[in-house]
């Protein structure tokens, strides 16, 4: 049974930083892509970043490129999202996700979701 346990959300002022963590367990993730999505109130869930477990290639939404960094710790089976220079528009519930679909940026192809955690950026 796959489990994705997230941590690190919270409240931060604009311009500040947060690091989100996602500890994955339950299977081997070598052929999967690890992703972060977010959903703001009244909005659809949107892609934020992805990392291919094998090879380590990374991908970002244009809105976060240059500010967010996705990374992994193989020994801990954990994926991180370092978020710098946060803006009020980054306020959302952030979700860790896993997919083996090449269209990793689409929420409908996600195989497993984390529980989600709130990130609030005050102005």
């Amino acid at each position: 049974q796959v489990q994705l346990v997230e941590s690190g959300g919270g409240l931060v002022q604009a311009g500040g930083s947060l690091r989100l963590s996602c500890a994955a367990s339950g299977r081997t993730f070598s052929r999967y892509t690890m992703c972060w999505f977010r959903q703001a109130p009244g909005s659809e869930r949107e892609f934020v970043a992805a990392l291919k477990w094998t090879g380590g290639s990374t991908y970002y939404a244009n809105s976060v490129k240059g500010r967010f960094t996705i990374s992994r710790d193989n020994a801990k089976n954990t994926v991180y999202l370092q978020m710098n220079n946060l803006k009020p528009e980054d306020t959302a519930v952030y979700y860790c996700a896993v997919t083996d679909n090449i269209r990793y940026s689409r929420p409908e192809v996600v195989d497993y979701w984390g529980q989600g955690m709130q990130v609030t950026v005050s102005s």
Side-chain angles (χ1 to χ4, degrees), residues 62-120:
N62 287 336
S63 58
V64 306
K65 202 171 292 184
R67 300 187 298 122
F68 291 11
T69 303
I70 187 170
S71 63
R72 65 182 176 185
D73 183 328
N74 287 348
K76 296 181 179 179
N77 240 27
T78 297
V79 176
Y80 304 98
L81 185 69
Q82 178 67 43
M83 306 186 295
N84 297 330
N85 191 22
L86 282 159
K87 304 175 181 181
E89 51 263 42
D90 294 318
T91 295
V93 176
Y94 282 70
Y95 297 89
C96 178
V98 175
T99 180
D100 65 354
N101 195 296
I102 59 173
R103 299 182 179 182
Y104 51 81
S105 65
R106 302 179 67 168
E108 60 266 31
V109 306
V110 167
D111 295 297
Y112 305 101
W113 290 100
Q115 78 277 11
M117 57 186 162
Q118 181 69 44
V119 170
T120 302

